[in-house]
Amino acid sequence: MVDGVVLLVDASEGPLPPTRFVLSKALSLGHAIIVVINKIDRSDARISQVLSDIFDLFIDLGARDDQMEFPPPGTAWCASATAANAKT
């Protein structure tokens, strides 16, 4: 049914309490996790701290090494369909 999940985390708020519950369920089912840090352009964004908080959460929840392999910010990106179409 499901091969993986997307974990969307706000760059200024970081992982919230409901994130722990939902992530624990996904990890216990053995799903691959794609981490997306959203709103990195905000003035109050704490990208490095939020990434550290996410890693800490994965460790606290007993994630396997392969579940913790997600690219850090700056190594992966995406754009809206409008921006992608403008380049062609």
Side-chain angles (χ1 to χ4, degrees):
M1 286 220 192
V2 175
D3 293 326
V5 298
V6 176
L7 175 65
L8 180 65
V9 181
D10 186 287
S12 62
E13 295 179 352
L16 299 176
T19 305
R20 174 179 282 278
F21 174 76
V22 174
L23 182 59
S24 70
K25 296 297 181 187
L27 292 171
S28 69
L29 293 170
H31 294 315
I33 312 296
I34 298 171
V35 175
V36 177
I37 300 178
N38 194 24
K39 302 180 185 176
I40 61 172
D41 59 334
R42 291 179 48 169
S43 62
D44 61 344
R46 308 173 297 121
I47 301 167
S48 295
Q49 181 59 46
V50 167
L51 182 61
S52 179
D53 293 346
I54 293 168
F55 269 116
D56 290 346
L57 182 57
F58 272 63
I59 291 167
D60 289 348
L61 296 175
R64 299 185 320 256
D65 288 343
D66 63 307
Q67 290 174 312
M68 294 181 65
E69 293 178 5
F70 51 86
T75 62
W77 63 274
C78 67
S80 69
T82 304
N85 290 336
K87 293 180 182 179
T88 59

